[in-house]
Amino acid sequence: MLLTLRVRAFRNLALQEIAFGSDLVLVTGANAQGKSSLLEAVYQLATTRSFRSRDPREAITHGEDALEIGGEISQAGSPSVSLSIGRARGRGIRRLCVGQYIVKLEEYLEYLPALVMTGESTRSIAGSPSERRRYMDRATASALPGHLPDLAEYRKALAQRNQLLRQEGSDEELDPWDRVLASVGERIAARREEQIRAWQELLPQWLDLFPEGRASHLFYRRALPRSMNSEQGASTEKASLAEGLARARMSDRRTRVTSVGPHRDDLGIEVQERDLWRFGSAGQVRSSVLAITLAQARRVRQLRPNAEPVLILDDVDSDLDKTRFDALLMAARKEGQTFAATSKPSLTKGLLARKLSVEDGNILSDDESGSATGRP
Amino acid sequence: MPGLPDPLETLIRALLRWPGIGPRSAQRIAFHLAREEDGELRALGGLISGLPDSLGSCSRCSNFSEGDLCPICLDVRRDDATLCVVEQPDNLAAIERSGAYRGVYQVLGGSISPLRGVGPEDLRIETLLERLSEGKIRELILATNPTVEGEATALFIARKAAPFAVSITRPATGLPVGGELDYVDKGTLARAFEGRQQVPDD
Ligand SMILES: [Zn+2]
């Protein structure tokens, strides 16, 4: 559990240190005051990444050279430990520390797995396969940290193969890249498949949030060359990526881009045999994503019993009533310490939680900020 | 940096192009040099400017060498039936430090990378195949870096070397992903060599 957070030069947040001390932290405030920035800081401290921009350096306050985030986490059965991350502009220097030691990314990620849902992501997941791939990879990497270096390797090998396609390289030159892609790609696909199966099994746990949970089917859709799809129909179980790449090579040469592999695969969900991403209502899509994210958190706990996840819910309440919002928070805090931001203070009434409000980059605890009038 | 005389500024910028040297180290080295005595500086300068004449590469394995052949190729006690392929002389030096290997080497000069414009023909793969065709070599160890480029290079060579019917191996995994051979500690490198595995045919 994250006990404290310290930020310096992080977006519009003022230099400050906040104590959380609860498994539910509710952040309120009007738009653009810094609610999302606070959650982003928590997420960046946990994962070194941002859920708001591709380049986490964008979070460095305008006019500053470097940001710093630090925090104290408690661990079951061992003393608490401090994590910190420093990030500079320019050459992109990043320093990760556990306690007083500088550590490598792999080791840093051992400490605080994090899952995130935002109002925007629940909307974009329905419309964008690449958004869905990011969504499943973030959760897969939280559960299985070995996923990240594989993704990085895969991206490099893919860029090399695509370059070779553009410069019309020979078959002999393409072959080794296909083999590298196939072996890393199979590992990536296998991990995603395994996670999706686990999420599917867990889905019926949250029927109050996602009533279709029992009737829905979650699956991994592999991108395969046309010839393989028509031969094997829906049963793509045995098709290997190596074979897919070989069969796609002719058309890949024409289009000069690699058309099969995990970078084209997808996370599918059907409710009563209808594609939810395409035909589901906005509400159905949102509640399915909320339920899947809870399943992802549960899966992280199953695979990494020593690392309790944090759940970050940014602005997911747009059309949730108070009852369902409460149900969501109660379900989330069972899976891990939950940070939720909302612009509707009425939603937080009656909840036992650490309540914070953000005003112009200043994070105030409830008693400090006083009643509805805000500033004195 | 503001307030530095031009010669120092230029020196710092030159040092920044060196591997592993960041702004702070560059400044420290430059300041150190600035305090050094004339004689020392001229001796150091002489060493550097003399390199193109004094140092060449081994005509057999392309390791750095003072004469036609490098000390390893000259050493009759080395096992010349075992050939280890590395990307750079740095990798060779790391393997030598580990003490786990007694055979000879072939330095490729890099790894295949279409993005950097390096193809198989830019590496010393033809030389390697010529050495294989002499018929003396029984084991070929592909110790390219554990990066995707190193992996692809190893697979490319494995295919090319298949007709020579030698045993083709690759150091065992356990090397850090995306790393470079010369950053791996001695013990790990020695274990990777001892546990080397056959490269499967495709
Ligand atoms: Zn030599």
Side-chain angles (χ1 to χ4, degrees):
Chain A
M1 182 161 98
L2 186 60
L3 304 172
T4 61
L5 181 76
R6 198 178 62 247
V7 285
R8 200 190 74 77
F10 194 92
R11 297 217 188 253
N12 69 333
L13 295 180
L15 171 70
Q16 56 203 311
E17 178 156 7
I18 321 132
F20 297 127
S22 167
D23 64 351
L24 181 60
V25 179
L26 298 175
V27 188
T28 56
N31 286 327
Q33 298 296 303
K35 289 194 307 290
S36 297
S37 300
L38 172 57
L39 298 198
E40 183 191 9
V42 171
Y43 188 77
Q44 212 176 116
L45 177 70
T47 65
T48 80
R49 305 194 164 212
S50 167
F51 58 84
R52 295 171 82 195
S53 43
R54 279 245 167 137
D55 183 353
R57 280 177 296 177
E58 279 179 26
I60 302 173
T61 306
H62 188 72
E64 294 279 344
D65 286 330
L67 65 77
E68 235 180 278
I69 320 166
E72 189 83 12
I73 60 168
S74 65
Q75 296 176 286
S78 40
S80 70
V81 61
S82 70
L83 299 181
S84 76
I85 172 166
R87 202 184 278 286
R89 255 186 231 287
R91 298 216 292 182
I93 299 158
R94 184 187 64 187
R95 197 201 59 239
L96 306 173
C97 291
V98 175
Q100 55 188 348
Y101 302 104
I102 293 182
V103 297
K104 289 190 175 161
L105 179 65
E106 279 169 36
E107 192 189 336
Y108 187 86
L109 295 178
E110 295 281 311
Y111 288 87
L112 196 61
L115 295 153
V116 60
M117 272 181 275
T118 69
E120 201 183 307
S121 72
T122 51
R123 281 187 292 277
S124 55
I125 277 172
S128 153
S130 66
E131 204 50 53
R132 291 196 284 273
R133 281 188 289 273
R134 257 197 294 282
Y135 176 62
M136 66 180 155
D137 282 333
R138 278 202 297 247
T140 304
S142 299
L144 304 163
H147 197 56
L148 275 182
D150 273 353
L151 288 172
E153 272 201 38
Y154 184 84
R155 270 193 296 274
K156 274 190 215 155
L158 183 66
Q160 296 281 19
R161 186 184 193 260
N162 287 342
Q163 174 63 28
L164 208 46
L165 289 170
R166 281 194 294 274
Q167 63 195 47
E168 298 179 8
S170 64
D171 282 339
E172 189 180 69
E173 286 176 282
L174 276 164
D175 287 344
W177 293 109
D178 283 17
R179 284 182 68 185
V180 171
L181 275 176
S183 74
V184 187
E186 290 287 2
R187 286 204 299 271
I188 291 171
R191 270 195 219 102
R192 287 174 175 172
E193 274 172 338
E194 184 199 342
Q195 291 301 298
I196 291 171
R197 264 199 304 277
W199 303 338
Q200 162 84 66
E201 267 175 44
L202 291 164
L203 267 191
Q205 308 238 349
W206 298 283
L207 293 179
D208 51 343
L209 282 168
F210 181 46
E212 296 88 345
R214 222 189 283 284
S216 60
H217 172 52
L218 209 58
F219 60 97
Y220 188 57
R221 184 185 287 127
R222 284 185 176 228
L224 292 168
R226 279 218 180 80
S227 61
M228 283 168 86
N229 274 331
S230 51
E231 267 168 48
Q232 310 197 344
S235 84
T236 52
E237 295 281 318
K238 275 192 287 178
S240 74
L241 180 51
E243 199 187 338
L245 284 164
R247 295 233 200 160
R249 186 178 290 182
M250 286 265 275
S251 67
D252 285 358
R253 278 189 179 287
R254 277 194 300 277
T255 56
R256 296 171 177 237
V257 53
T258 303
S259 62
V260 298
H263 66 292
R264 290 286 176 91
D265 295 351
D266 199 358
L267 168 67
I269 180 166
E270 280 172 358
V271 173
Q272 277 142 6
E273 289 169 24
R274 265 164 38 111
D275 184 341
L276 187 79
W277 304 141
R278 288 176 63 195
F279 303 113
S281 68
Q284 262 182 326
V285 166
R286 192 213 49 234
S287 35
S288 72
V289 173
L290 293 177
I292 295 169
T293 309
L294 292 171
Q296 293 173 339
R298 177 73 63 89
R299 190 63 187 147
V300 171
R301 286 201 307 160
Q302 288 173 344
L303 293 176
R304 301 175 59 186
N306 293 322
E308 189 205 341
V310 255
L311 282 90
I312 291 167
L313 316 179
D314 187 16
D315 189 29
V316 294
D317 53 76
S318 52
D319 46 0
L320 285 181
D321 57 28
K322 171 84 175 137
T323 318
R324 293 187 95 193
F325 187 65
D326 285 359
L328 170 64
L329 293 181
M330 288 309 113
R333 79 194 295 179
K334 263 196 221 160
E335 307 309 324
Q337 188 184 19
T338 300
F339 292 82
T342 171
S343 47
K344 292 177 248 168
S346 61
L347 281 179
T348 70
K349 278 205 185 102
L351 284 164
L352 204 61
R354 172 80 162 130
K355 292 179 190 172
L356 302 169
S357 58
V358 187
E359 260 182 49
D360 196 18
N362 290 294
I363 301 160
L364 309 163
S365 95
D366 235 13
D367 20 294
E368 286 169 67
S369 63
S371 59
T373 49
R375 254 171 219 214
Chain B
M1 240 163 286
L4 282 186
D6 256 4
L8 263 182
E9 186 81 51
T10 317
L11 180 59
I12 290 174
R13 245 180 277 131
L15 288 168
L16 270 173
R17 293 204 300 270
W18 290 12
I21 303 289
R24 223 182 288 178
S25 318
Q27 187 185 330
R28 196 161 54 206
I29 296 169
F31 278 45
H32 170 79
L33 290 173
R35 282 190 295 265
E36 199 62 89
E37 286 180 19
D38 280 13
E40 289 285 327
L41 284 180
R42 283 183 215 288
L44 181 63
L47 279 178
I48 295 174
S49 62
L51 271 183
D53 297 321
S54 60
L55 192 68
S57 64
C58 173
S59 65
R60 188 171 298 160
C61 74
S62 297
N63 186 15
F64 289 136
S65 174
E66 207 183 334
D68 181 41
L69 291 178
C70 74
I72 293 171
C73 290
L74 281 171
D75 186 347
V76 290
R77 289 163 305 177
R78 305 286 301 210
D79 166 20
D80 60 1
T82 309
L83 181 65
C84 177
V85 176
V86 292
E87 293 183 17
Q88 299 289 359
D90 318 46
N91 310 134
L92 183 157
I95 295 168
E96 285 299 294
R97 271 199 306 277
S98 80
Y101 180 67
R102 295 298 300 160
V104 292
Y105 293 93
Q106 175 68 54
V107 177
L108 292 174
S111 56
I112 298 175
S113 170
L115 286 169
R116 276 185 288 126
V118 183
E121 66 285 353
D122 301 308
L123 305 172
R124 296 185 197 93
I125 295 174
E126 279 308 315
T127 318
L128 170 69
L129 298 175
E130 276 164 35
R131 289 177 77 182
L132 286 172
S133 70
E134 289 163 12
K136 226 176 183 178
I137 291 151
R138 287 193 306 275
E139 184 182 357
L140 182 65
I141 304 173
L142 301 172
T144 47
N145 286 335
T147 57
V148 288
E149 291 80 14
E151 189 69 30
T153 308
L155 291 168
F156 183 87
I157 294 173
R159 171 83 66 83
K160 286 287 200 185
F164 299 102
V166 297
S167 161
I168 302 175
T169 58
R170 182 130 169 83
T173 47
L175 299 175
V177 173
E180 278 175 31
L181 230 46
D182 33 316
Y183 293 126
V184 178
D185 72 84
K186 276 201 263 180
T188 312
L189 198 51
R191 276 194 300 282
F193 259 77
E194 280 151 21
R196 58 188 185 262
Q197 289 157 351
Q198 293 285 332
V199 176
D201 302 336
D202 46 345

